[in-house]
Amino acid sequence: MDTFLDFISFKDPNVIYVVLGVVFINAASALIGTFALLRKRALIGDAIAHSLLPGVCLGFLAAGEKNLIFLMFGAVITGWLSTFAVDIIVNRSKVKQDAAIGIVLSTFFAIGIVLLTYIQNHASGQQAGLETFLFGQAAAISRQDVIIFLVVLLVVLVAIIAFYRTFVLVTFNREYAITLGVKVKAYEFLITTLTVLSIAAGIQALGVILMSALVITPAAVGRLWSDQLPKIILLAVVFSIISGIGGAFVSYSSAQMPTGPWVVLLLSAIVGFSILFSPKKGIIARYKKSRENRLKILRENILKSIYVYHEKMMDKSLSLQMTVTDIMETRRFDTDDLTSGLRYLTHKGYLAKQGKSISLTDSGKKESKRIVRLHRLWEQYLLKKTTIDSDHVHSGAEAIEHIITPELEKELVKELGITGIPEEDY
Amino acid sequence: MKDQISIEVHNLTVSYGAGPVLWDVDFELPTGKIIGVIGPNGSGKTTLLKTIMGLLEPSSGYVKIQNKSLNEVRDKIAYVPQRTSVDWDFPASVYDVVMMGRYGKRNLIRRPNNADVEIVEQSIQKVGLSDFRDRQISQLSGGQQQRVFIARALAQKADIYLLDEPFAGVDAATESSIISILEEMRNEGKTVLIIHHDLQTVLEHFEYLVLLNTRLIAKGNLQEVFTKENLSNAYGGQLTLLSKVVEIIKATDFPIREKDVDL
């Protein structure tokens, strides 16, 4: 608890830099990453990140010291070259994009490792600490770095706000944008450059290997929670910042722990959580939906059986007292299902129970009539409008009565010209 | 006005890789008509539309629109791409997509004004999607998606509309509602050019035809063009020779025409 208080009160001034740095990096990469994901260029982020390494080394060689501006400049150039190389391979050969990304990524990374080894074997390189660019070292973020990260974030933010509509247009329908006279190539170049820039900003803290996660994952999570682009972008940024701060805290509270991997792990945990719990698309939501459907079908089938029982007994008032056995004789339910279904229907006021005998209430009568009517309307529809043997009609109509909406019911009635409940059941 | 030329295609040759997809295609189209572009699969219909819209570079020849180059009259011509050419899972609403029709060259950065909003609302209403205005496009049926694309083109307020297979994968009711929208546009003097592959409905939909199979087979008023002879020229029989030549060109990287000869 003390560690936590120390952390949030920034007792150690270095913590401020780490937290701010990670927040700025994560926000920038989540913002532009949303467009990379929607352009189906998610893997490009991975290629770019790996391709930054040779640029970082060249930047170091040019500056002769670890100057972040030089390193980032070199990184942006090789990162951008890598996307250019992918495009050339795809356009000029039969190699597909995924293969091209794999080739470019590993080639640039190999060059990077060669340069890195060269630098470390030379006198000036020994204290360079460039190997932190492989796995990242957030603790080393300085005040000056934070300012550079903030500038990158602002550039990305301003560009997205200014060109939001065009970015969306180019992303959604590139060819159409061209026919409108939009300079599509220029905007694509801008999006790519912004992607490279925000990845380059992050490699010091997260390393070239993990940085691609910050481009791809937040947007993918945002997409799970929303269908609206502004919300997706906002959620991506929020989730990314949360995992950034979380990662910084873990590495603060136990000095042995690296920041970058923890940021990525927290982000992955959010992905897992979202896949389970997100509304509509989440596994839990879908499970619940299918369970509700199953229960609805069961309850409606019970009411239907009660109606059919009355028909069998030649009773039009629907007010007979019946037992569980009577229902079971009409339709074979699973005993447990039937018991719980009856309990629910009684609770909802469709059935009245007196000791062992069950009867329909007024609303129960109405509901059972509605279901039988839908079932038989659909049977009539199948018989009249399609080729189906009459002994198959019943099973074909079974289950459909639970789906038919009032609008569809009206259309059915209009098409068939039937009022009331058809007598015949197949 | 009636005899004005909407689109002129002059000696157009377009190739993918080595083989020509369009080969010396040359025609002029009238204004204010619903024009069908028909031909078998792979006959270069989509390529023709994309070249007219400047999406593909011709190997030779040129296209003129209202007797000007495309760049001079971009806001006079609207393109409806094939429905399946985009990812409909994209997070956008019907309104968002139709509003794209108002972006144009000059309107990229400024926010849409009241006039834009009104045009977009009208376009959505014209295609009968007012109730779906705020619906996410991923939740639309195929026919509704097609109508969103048409509304987006309507919002461009152009003179010439190019539609690539607008009836592919839509039901008969949607097809006839799209046709009545297009007829309404024709009555306002617009030119509508439609790629179509269903020969059975050609007679109902079009008044003017371009019959294509890599080369221009025929063009003109429906009755003149829609003949058994033309169709068999386009769809089979005599032209197998032409496709054999195309195959040889593809296989050998042979040039389509000698460089110093200009037709």
Side-chain angles (χ1 to χ4, degrees):
Chain A
M1 194 61 205
D2 280 349
T3 337
F4 182 67
L5 286 177
D6 287 351
F7 179 76
I8 57 165
S9 60
F10 300 124
K11 207 171 170 188
D12 178 352
N14 263 335
V15 173
I16 304 178
Y17 299 144
V18 173
V19 169
L20 285 180
V22 171
V23 165
F24 295 156
I25 291 165
N26 285 25
S29 49
L31 278 172
I32 198 68
T34 310
F35 287 95
L37 183 87
L38 290 175
R39 290 177 72 210
K40 313 222 178 291
R41 292 295 191 91
L43 277 176
I44 286 278
D46 210 20
I48 293 173
H50 280 79
S51 307
L52 298 183
L53 191 60
V56 167
C57 295
L58 291 173
F60 177 83
L61 287 172
E65 55 162 350
K66 200 172 151 188
N67 178 319
L68 190 61
I69 304 273
F70 271 80
L71 300 186
M72 269 188 63
F73 189 71
V76 167
I77 288 180
T78 52
W80 189 82
L81 271 180
S82 71
T83 72
F84 191 62
V86 169
D87 285 344
I88 285 188
I89 292 177
V90 172
N91 291 336
R92 296 289 161 94
S93 75
K94 284 195 167 177
V95 178
K96 299 272 179 264
Q97 203 197 30
D98 54 346
I101 288 174
I103 294 166
V104 169
L105 176 158
S106 46
T107 309
F108 275 71
F109 193 61
I111 298 172
I113 297 290
V114 169
L115 287 172
L116 193 63
T117 319
Y118 170 81
I119 290 169
Q120 280 171 333
N121 290 343
H122 284 71
S124 68
Q126 286 181 354
Q127 63 268 27
L130 281 188
E131 67 280 355
T132 58
F133 283 93
L134 278 181
F135 300 110
Q137 193 181 39
I141 294 176
S142 71
R143 185 189 164 86
Q144 193 206 354
D145 296 345
V146 170
I147 294 168
I148 293 173
F149 299 157
L150 179 61
V151 171
V152 170
L153 171 62
L154 289 178
V155 168
V156 172
L157 194 63
V158 168
I160 287 184
I161 291 172
F163 302 119
Y164 179 79
R165 284 159 21 104
T166 321
F167 282 5
V168 172
L169 172 66
V170 169
T171 306
F172 173 61
N173 202 344
R174 184 176 188 274
E175 289 197 325
Y176 180 73
I178 297 174
T179 70
L180 289 177
V182 176
K183 298 266 173 286
V184 166
K185 287 217 166 106
Y187 285 98
E188 285 177 334
F189 178 77
L190 180 59
I191 295 176
T192 304
T193 308
L194 293 173
T195 314
V196 175
L197 194 65
S198 46
I199 293 176
I203 52 168
Q204 190 198 6
L206 279 108
V208 296
I209 296 170
L210 293 178
M211 194 51 209
S212 61
L214 286 194
V215 177
I216 302 162
T217 317
V221 179
R223 188 74 188 87
L224 283 172
W225 289 88
S226 177
D227 277 334
Q228 286 158 350
L229 189 51
K231 275 191 199 161
I232 293 173
I233 295 176
L234 188 70
L235 286 168
V237 170
V238 169
F239 285 134
S240 190
I241 287 178
I242 290 173
S243 45
I245 296 174
F249 173 68
V250 172
S251 82
Y252 173 80
S253 54
S254 95
Q256 304 300 319
M257 284 295 178
T259 310
W262 274 101
V263 173
V264 174
L265 281 178
L266 289 173
L267 211 45
S268 307
I270 295 177
V271 174
F273 178 84
S274 305
I275 288 175
L276 281 177
F277 294 103
S278 72
K280 286 191 218 161
K281 291 178 191 163
I283 290 174
I284 306 273
R286 285 209 305 255
Y287 173 77
K288 263 172 93 174
K289 182 92 198 147
S290 85
R291 197 180 119 89
E292 270 165 28
N293 285 340
R294 225 172 43 236
L295 288 176
K296 180 173 186 260
I297 290 171
L298 169 72
R299 288 158 197 159
E300 296 189 349
N301 281 341
I302 294 174
L303 288 175
K304 196 166 72 176
S305 310
I306 295 178
Y307 183 94
V308 172
Y309 173 80
H310 282 88
E311 271 186 336
K312 234 168 33 186
M313 295 294 157
M314 313 288 267
D315 178 286
K316 295 234 179 215
S317 67
L318 296 182
S319 37
L320 293 178
Q321 297 284 329
M322 16 186 334
T323 63
V324 174
T325 331
D326 292 333
I327 297 175
M328 281 295 244
E329 272 166 15
T330 319
R331 183 188 176 117
R332 287 183 56 88
F333 288 97
D334 179 274
T335 328
D336 291 344
D337 281 353
L338 182 59
T339 318
S340 75
L342 287 173
R343 198 182 310 127
Y344 177 89
L345 290 167
T346 316
H347 176 73
K348 283 282 164 189
Y350 290 123
L351 297 178
K353 232 175 162 179
Q354 280 179 317
K356 290 236 176 244
S357 73
I358 304 159
S359 61
L360 285 168
T361 63
D362 283 343
S363 60
K365 285 175 193 168
K366 224 168 118 190
E367 182 68 5
S368 66
K369 275 185 199 161
R370 184 184 72 86
I371 294 154
V372 172
R373 178 175 143 84
L374 290 181
H375 176 84
R376 294 192 183 162
L377 279 175
W378 189 247
E379 283 180 341
Q380 293 293 327
Y381 180 81
L382 287 180
L383 268 180
K384 285 187 185 162
K385 304 282 174 177
T386 69
T387 310
I388 190 167
D389 290 338
S390 54
D391 55 337
H392 286 181
V393 167
H394 178 82
S395 54
E398 197 70 4
I400 302 302
E401 71 258 22
H402 310 296
I403 300 168
I404 293 175
T405 59
E407 294 86 56
L408 277 176
E409 183 187 344
K410 264 185 216 152
E411 276 187 50
L412 270 177
V413 170
K414 213 171 105 190
E415 195 135 316
L416 296 168
I418 291 174
T419 49
I421 303 173
E423 293 282 326
E424 205 154 12
D425 189 35
Y426 294 89
Chain B
M1 278 301 277
K2 263 277 174 251
D3 296 312
Q4 232 176 13
I5 294 165
S6 56
I7 298 173
E8 179 195 354
V9 171
H10 184 84
N11 264 343
L12 198 70
T13 299
V14 185
S15 320
Y16 284 134
V21 182
L22 289 177
W23 199 350
D24 284 340
V25 172
D26 190 287
F27 59 78
E28 289 167 357
L29 296 178
T31 296
K33 288 213 153 70
I34 298 183
I35 303 165
V37 179
I38 58 173
N41 280 335
S43 57
K45 303 185 294 283
T46 296
T47 304
L48 175 67
L49 239 59
K50 285 189 173 175
T51 313
I52 294 174
M53 290 310 305
L55 294 169
L56 292 172
E57 278 295 312
S59 336
S60 69
Y62 60 81
V63 173
K64 282 201 166 180
I65 290 144
Q66 295 178 342
N67 213 19
K68 296 201 176 86
S69 77
L70 175 66
N71 275 324
E72 293 172 274
V73 286
R74 251 189 215 287
D75 52 343
K76 299 276 185 249
I77 186 162
Y79 174 57
V80 179
Q82 277 181 25
R83 181 168 61 83
T84 48
S85 66
V86 303
D87 174 15
W88 288 93
D89 217 16
F90 192 89
S93 69
V94 169
Y95 179 87
D96 294 338
V97 174
V98 178
M99 184 54 95
M100 288 176 187
R102 298 304 303 162
Y103 285 10
K105 215 195 239 163
R106 275 154 277 127
N107 305 351
L108 279 172
I109 296 182
R110 75 162 173 79
R111 295 181 62 81
N113 59 27
N114 287 341
D116 292 325
V117 172
E118 196 171 313
I119 288 170
V120 168
E121 301 284 4
Q122 276 172 7
S123 307
I124 294 176
Q125 196 205 340
K126 253 191 194 151
V127 299
L129 286 178
S130 296
D131 292 345
F132 298 87
R133 183 185 177 280
D134 298 314
R135 177 87 55 106
Q136 290 297 305
I137 55 170
S138 56
Q139 292 163 17
L140 299 176
S141 71
Q144 289 166 336
Q145 291 172 348
Q146 189 64 60
R147 283 188 278 162
V148 170
F149 262 11
I150 290 173
R152 183 176 70 172
L154 289 177
Q156 284 179 251
K157 294 273 171 201
D159 293 339
I160 303 169
Y161 293 82
L162 269 50
L163 296 86
D164 195 345
E165 297 270 10
F167 307 122
V170 308
D171 55 76
T174 307
E175 179 161 341
S176 66
S177 85
I178 290 175
I179 276 292
S180 63
I181 296 165
L182 299 178
E183 278 168 353
E184 197 182 314
M185 286 156 64
R186 188 259 328 268
N187 295 341
E188 292 165 11
K190 316 275 188 194
T191 307
V192 182
L193 187 69
I194 302 171
I195 290 184
H196 193 62
H197 71 274
D198 182 5
L199 286 179
Q200 292 189 334
T201 49
V202 163
L203 283 170
E204 308 160 26
H205 291 348
F206 308 115
E207 34 194 3
Y208 199 94
L209 276 188
V210 174
L211 189 54
L212 206 63
N213 191 347
T214 306
R215 284 182 174 271
L216 180 67
I217 304 297
K219 67 119 200 177
N221 288 322
L222 182 65
Q223 307 305 336
E224 302 158 25
V225 175
F226 204 62
T227 63
K228 209 170 178 186
E229 193 193 348
N230 279 337
L231 288 176
S232 86
N233 278 342
Y235 280 84
Q238 288 93 325
L239 276 183
T240 46
L241 195 63
L242 179 64
S243 57
K244 274 184 190 156
V245 174
V246 171
E247 283 306 313
I248 293 173
I249 290 173
K250 266 189 203 164
T252 56
D253 264 352
F254 206 80
I256 301 166
R257 72 157 58 100
E258 291 167 56
K259 276 243 155 55
D260 47 350
V261 182
D262 196 5
L263 292 174

